[in-house]
Structures are given as C-alpha cells and as structure tokens.
Amino acid sequence: MLKAQNVSSRIVILPFLICGLTELLRTIFLAVGWEKAAKLLYKVYAASFLLYVFGFLGVWCYVNFTNQAYLPLLFSLPFWLVGGYLVYRVFFRKGDQPAKADPKKRSLHLNVNFKVVVTCFLVGVCLLSGIFILFLGVKDTIQLSQRAGGYTATEGHFVDYEVYRSDREGTTYRLIYEYEVNGAPYRVSTDYGTSAIPARNSTRTVKYDPANPQKSVLAGSNSANWMIFMGLFFVLGSTVFILAWLTVKGCFDRFKVSVLGVYIGVVFTFVGAGPILLRRGETGSWPACFKSFGLWILIPLMMIAVGLFQTVKCLLPGRSKKGEKGR
C-alpha cells in the first residue's frame, strides 16, 4: 500500500493511516490514564476522517458537475449535512451537561457514536463505489456484445506486445494479435494491461466486422470484465459488514444455518476464482493460465478451498446444533 502508483492514491490512504495510528495511541493513553492526550488524539482522529469525507464529497461533486450529472449532486446533499453536523458536534459543541426536565419543552438529543458513523460511512462508500463500478462494467459489456453481435469469429495469433503502464510496482503490457481475412493481415490489441505474456503464435479468438475487417475485438477477458469483478468485490465485501450487523441484531436466528458463515464462504470462493477465470480469458488456455501465475496460483486455490470448506461447514445445521448442545 505504501508503494502507491501515484500521489492521489497516497493521499487517499493517508486518512486511514492517521485514523488507525491515532486510535491505537488513544487506546494506549486511556490505559495509562492520560485522558487529556487521549482527547486530543480523538480530535485528530475526527479531523482526519472528516477531511476524507469532505474530500471525497468534493471530488464527487466536481466530477459530476463537470459531466453535467446533476442528480448525483442531489444525492450527496444528505452526506454534506451529516458531515456538517459531525463537525459541529466534535469541534464546536460543549461537553454534554445534564439538562433539567421541562414538561413544556421537548428537545431532541442525538447521541452519536463516532466510531459507528465512521464504519457506516466507509461501508457505504465501498458499497456505492462497488455498485457504480459494477454498473459501468455491465454497461460496457452490453455495449460490446451489441457491437460484436454480427461479427465473424476467426483465429488470431499472438505476435507482439507493447508497454501499457510502467511504474515502481512493475510493468504491464498490451498484447497484440494478428488475424487474416481473405489473405489480408490485420491486428488487434487488448484494451487492458497484463504482466502475463503468452507464448508467441499462441491463439485467441478474434471477432471482426465482415463489412470492415479492421474493426475487431478479442474474445475472452477485457477491461469491462475486470470492472465487473472489482465492482462485485466491493459490493460483496461491504455486504459482509451489513450481514454481520444483522446477525448481531438476531435477524437470522430462526435460520438453521449460519447465513453469515455461508456468505463469507461464497465471498472467499468468488475472490479466489475470479482472478483465475480472468487470467484464463487473457491467456486462452488453462495450461497457460496456471503457468502465468507460477507459485502464486496457490493463493487463489487456497482461498477457493477455504471458501468451499466454510460454505459446506455452515450448511450443516446438524453439526452446529450438536456443538451448541455440547456447550
């Protein structure tokens, strides 16, 4: 994480690092009895989180305003109001004092747990970001499918590659394939970068427009597939916290199986299988897919195994009941 690709990504993770460090130090200070220092760190914690909130909202509004998308601007208004209230409560409101009971006056007192607000906001951001990325991926996939609906399939051969992106994290490449139509050679390249370079003359299906053979697309993985995977990753990951909260509230007590346990197992299986399937679409064959991973293939395979084991274990209500009786 510290080796971020650019300055903006470092700025994004900075509030999380500050929040985590200040919360750790605040816990230590409270344990040793340094209450004033702990209160000061609480202000730092709140300031860093609010900075992230308003920074995110500012970028969100700027992007949508420049794109003339005014409906998302209205959607952000409640978050601006919540952020303003948190600023008032943390920095300007005096310490709570016991109020005298007055039968003629009724006041609404909001006792907000700041940690709960932070968690809810981060989960909400991840969920909304995942839905947005998923929407873009599905939209691009549908458009690509409609565009290539009348295309003819042929066999393309890998002939070359070019640098797609290069930074301190490594170099990714755009793969170039060559295909022939009526004896004339044409080329098409991937719309994404990958570190896995297939063997020369390895094949991959190409779809081209019969009326204009120069217009073509590569079958298999593309940038839209990666967007769908990342969108689902954020949506499924944030939903874990929502299901955990519902589990604590007892919403799934009447179910004979562990709903949260089954869901976590499914998420682990998805996270492990997703990269393998995407790489399979990039390389065109299973042997090339596993070869491109090297020993790193053990990580997604272990995640799949853990996910399947977790799912099967939580789908066995008899074992959980026996465990509860034993207790």
Side-chain angles (χ1 to χ4, degrees):
M1 291 292 292
L2 292 176
K3 294 182 178 179
Q5 294 183 357
N6 48 48
V7 176
S8 61
S9 58
R10 294 182 182 182
I11 294 175
V12 168
I13 67 172
L14 187 60
F16 293 92
L17 294 177
I18 296 176
C19 286
L21 182 60
T22 52
E23 182 64 16
L24 175 62
L25 293 176
R26 193 173 76 91
T27 303
I28 296 175
F29 289 166
L30 287 175
V32 298
W34 297 351
E35 295 184 0
K36 292 185 177 181
K39 290 181 180 179
L40 178 62
L41 286 175
Y42 175 76
K43 300 288 186 181
V44 176
Y45 175 90
S48 59
F49 170 73
L50 290 171
L51 178 64
Y52 174 80
V53 170
F54 288 114
F56 177 85
L57 291 174
V59 173
W60 172 274
C61 292
Y62 173 77
V63 171
N64 286 282
F65 183 79
T66 54
N67 294 330
Q68 297 182 350
Y70 301 112
L71 184 60
L73 293 178
L74 296 177
F75 176 76
S76 67
L77 287 179
F79 294 95
W80 283 106
L81 295 176
V82 172
Y85 172 76
L86 292 177
V87 170
Y88 161 74
R89 181 171 178 82
V90 174
F91 296 104
F92 299 102
R93 185 173 180 175
K94 297 181 180 179
D96 295 334
Q97 297 178 356
K100 296 181 180 179
D102 189 351
K104 297 182 180 180
K105 296 182 179 179
R106 294 182 179 179
S107 60
L108 179 62
H109 177 68
L110 297 178
N111 187 15
V112 179
N113 188 329
F114 198 78
K115 293 182 180 179
V116 174
V117 173
V118 171
T119 303
C120 293
F121 179 82
L122 294 179
V123 171
V125 168
C126 290
L127 181 61
L128 293 177
S129 301
I131 294 174
F132 180 69
I133 296 173
L134 181 61
F135 168 76
L136 293 179
V138 172
K139 184 189 71 170
D140 292 346
T141 300
I142 294 175
Q143 291 177 348
L144 180 62
S145 177
Q146 292 175 346
R147 189 181 68 182
Y151 283 14
T152 302
T154 187
E155 193 175 69
H157 298 269
F158 174 70
V159 294
D160 201 1
Y161 60 90
E162 59 186 12
V163 175
Y164 180 81
R165 180 178 299 163
S166 181
D167 50 35
R168 290 182 297 178
E169 296 296 320
T171 303
T172 56
Y173 304 95
R174 190 192 305 272
L175 308 180
I176 302 174
Y177 289 82
E178 187 174 278
Y179 60 99
E180 289 187 2
V181 179
N182 297 327
Y186 297 93
R187 288 192 172 189
V188 61
S189 61
T190 58
D191 59 352
Y192 58 88
T194 177
S195 59
I197 300 177
R200 192 170 184 83
N201 290 325
S202 59
T203 60
R204 185 168 173 180
T205 302
V206 178
K207 295 183 177 181
Y208 66 92
D209 185 358
N212 186 5
Q214 193 171 0
K215 292 183 178 180
S216 58
V217 295
L218 283 166
S221 298
N222 51 51
S223 58
N225 297 144
W226 281 102
M227 293 179 68
I228 292 175
F229 174 74
M230 292 305 300
L232 286 174
F233 177 80
F234 280 107
V235 171
L236 295 176
S238 56
T239 307
V240 170
F241 294 92
I242 299 175
L243 290 180
W245 179 77
L246 294 175
T247 301
V248 172
K249 294 296 182 179
C251 296
F252 304 125
D253 289 348
R254 58 182 177 178
F255 290 90
K256 296 181 179 181
V257 298
S258 173
V259 176
L260 180 61
V262 172
Y263 183 81
I264 292 177
V266 172
V267 171
F268 265 82
T269 305
F270 166 78
V271 173
I276 296 178
L277 294 176
L278 290 172
R279 183 60 62 88
R280 166 64 177 80
E282 293 177 4
T283 57
S285 66
W286 286 110
C289 170
F290 286 102
K291 183 179 179 181
S292 65
F293 273 104
L295 292 178
W296 294 106
I297 190 64
L298 295 176
I299 296 178
L301 289 179
M302 289 178 63
M303 294 191 69
I304 294 174
V306 171
L308 293 176
F309 175 77
Q310 172 75 7
T311 303
V312 173
K313 182 186 71 172
C314 295
L315 286 174
L316 299 176
R319 293 188 60 183
S320 61
K321 287 183 177 180
K322 290 180 181 179
E324 291 176 0
K325 292 179 179 180
R327 292 176 186 174

